[in-house]
Amino acid sequence: MKVLSVASEIAPLIKTGGLADVAGALPAALKGVGVEMRTLVPGYPVILEALGDGRQVMTDGDLFGGPVQVLYGVVDGLELYVLDAAHLFYRDGGPYAAPDGFDWWDNPERFAALCWMAARLANEGHLHGWQPDVVHAHDWQAGFTPVYMQRTGAAHTVGSVMTIHNIAFTGSAGMDMVHRLRLPMEGYNAGGFEFFGRISALKAGIAYADKVNTVSPTYAQELKTPEFGMGFDGTLKFKGAHFSGILNGIDTEYWNPATDKHIIPYKVLRGKAKARAALCEEMGLDGDSGPLCVVVSRLTDQKGMDLLLHALPRLVERGGQLCLLGSGNPWFEEKFLEAAAQNPGRVAVRIGYDEPLSHRIIAGGDAILVPSRFEPCGLTQLYGLRYGTIPVVARTGGLADTVIPSTVATRMAGVATGFQHDPDSADALVHALDALCDLWADQKQFQQVQRNGMKHPVGWDVSAAEYAALFKEAARTP
Ligand code: ADP
């Protein structure tokens, strides 16, 4: 089975969030279950530099305002098709936003171009010796792919799967863009890519793909409700059995405390104490009065950062500490920096994006906090499990699916791995942090929960097999 993945970011080359981790990890995970995956990615400067001299497999003289080519090559073990389109992707700034922080004005064209070439690769793959059976589109940036596959005729022979990593990003454009984006006018309706009087690339992917999934079973259920569906609930319900949830895994080789290059490696909890001490020293934290809680996150409303600010005084009062790495909403950045200034030795905050530091923080923490209002899957709680850093999470989406709440019963059964609290409630977070501090007071039990977590499977084994089954269902030939 050959699958062409279409992704706007891919770890370790370019990453703004969990989508990159999944796009980067799936190809290796799927190899073991008979799926050969190549990934089409935009030719951002960092990707073209990493690629070097790729083999040209496709050209187009004028794609949304300039000539483009698709290059093939292997980077970091990933088989990539790179869309080299200087007028669209060869720019300073992030994948989606200019250096001033605002979205690129031409994002609809930029990612429509990616989808267009994906559909061509699906249609003409046999011409250069690699014909996909299925195209796997990630999020709105790849959402027009199944529409274009219908246009090019590829949909007759090639199946399509759309994965929703985060429903909040809809890929919106004005309806006057239908022709500009080479979309069929007849698709501009409630059953197609129309979304509240505009075009939505995400809606296009959901409506046109053979199969749609999101990244955890609970989030799949939530998305079918008006509360979480953000306007897509009706369309997703309409997909019926063609919409499902498959839990994300993590790359357990890269996220392995025994071999992690970014930390003082450890296999058992005694070794973890060194990572903790090193983190306390690096961040200027006192260390020993209570659980060291860590956060690695975008600082946004979605992530419940206001709830954490509310609960922080109580955590500090109980002797706990906070070490936070993140960036995002400037108001949150300022408030967390203020909290650090007011609580020297108890609260440490680093604003920015720092991959090596994120490893040191997750390794050094006693508990990792993820108080999200909604969370499609969440990855940092999985890193926490792997590193013996107890997850304290909101009971929502993939967080609910991956953490076994600590109760007398689950501790006695030896399966408790963390704490869950009601989402969207600062009081509930306070209670969960209280429960964490209570557990901390009984170090034997605390360490048992840490050990349970370290044994919990967080890799791709089960989910890779589920993706393989989904691709098989979507493929035209058995
Ligand atoms: P989302 O994709 O919604 O941001 P996830 O938990 O699914 O949330 O994935 C976030 C990913 O980004 C994780 O791999 C996390 O470690 C990483 N990350 C988030 N913020 C930072 C940061 N400031 N520095 C380093 N890594 C970060």
Side-chain angles (χ1 to χ4, degrees), residues 113-384:
L114 186 74
C115 300
W116 186 263
M117 292 316 267
R120 278 197 55 196
L121 281 167
N123 205 32
E124 303 162 36
H126 59 283
L127 298 178
H128 65 269
W130 198 82
Q131 176 57 53
D133 302 294
V134 173
V135 174
H136 184 194
H138 295 274
D139 267 354
W140 73 265
Q141 295 89 337
F144 289 135
T145 308
V147 185
Y148 296 148
M149 283 170 68
Q150 287 209 346
R151 274 200 73 161
T152 59
H156 293 302
T157 51
V158 182
S160 53
V161 172
M162 172 82 198
T163 296
I164 303 167
H165 296 266
N166 193 333
I167 200 101
F169 303 114
T170 61
S172 181
M175 75 137 318
D176 54 319
M177 294 283 283
V178 169
H179 292 298
R180 168 92 184 125
L181 297 177
R182 304 181 179 182
L183 295 166
M185 197 59 215
E186 63 272 18
Y188 186 77
N189 61 55
F193 47 76
E194 186 264 340
F195 190 62
F196 295 103
R198 291 173 65 81
I199 297 169
S200 158
L202 182 65
K203 176 87 183 296
I206 294 171
Y208 282 75
D210 299 313
K211 302 281 172 190
V212 179
N213 79 300
T214 187
V215 290
S216 69
T218 293
Y219 192 56
Q221 290 307 321
E222 289 171 346
L223 283 183
K224 288 185 271 187
T225 66
E227 191 190 348
F228 288 93
M230 296 191 177
F232 293 95
D233 39 302
T235 309
L236 288 168
K237 267 198 279 196
F238 187 71
K239 291 300 271 194
H242 300 295
F243 173 54
S244 61
I246 301 179
L247 202 58
N248 280 341
I250 59 170
D251 182 337
T252 49
E253 277 183 30
Y254 181 65
W255 289 98
N256 181 354
T259 54
D260 191 329
K261 288 191 300 279
H262 300 300
I263 64 166
I264 305 166
Y266 59 91
K267 272 198 182 122
V268 285
L269 287 174
R270 198 164 345 136
K272 184 173 168 71
K274 281 192 189 152
R276 186 184 195 277
L279 181 65
C280 287
E281 193 177 326
E282 176 177 0
M283 305 297 278
L285 288 164
D286 297 342
D288 40 6
S289 54
L292 170 51
C293 298
V294 299
V295 172
V296 177
S297 181
R298 292 185 287 120
L299 302 182
T300 63
D301 287 336
Q302 180 208 327
K303 299 292 180 180
M305 288 298 122
D306 50 325
L307 309 175
L308 178 57
L309 281 167
H310 187 92
L312 189 53
R314 174 69 179 165
L315 176 67
V316 172
E317 191 188 309
R318 290 285 315 254
Q321 292 139 80
L322 177 73
C323 175
L324 176 141
L325 166 65
S327 62
N329 182 327
W331 188 85
F332 285 133
E333 294 181 356
E334 199 180 306
K335 287 289 165 201
F336 279 110
L337 285 171
E338 269 173 28
Q342 285 160 6
N343 296 281
R346 321 287 304 160
V347 176
V349 171
R350 291 284 183 280
I351 300 301
Y353 192 95
D354 188 333
E355 179 76 19
L357 180 58
S358 75
H359 287 242
R360 297 198 293 279
I361 287 179
I362 286 160
D366 300 311
I368 184 156
L369 313 184
V370 195
S372 307
R373 289 197 159 77
F374 68 94
E375 193 57 78
C377 179
L379 294 174
T380 60
Q381 85 281 11
L382 300 178
Y383 306 151

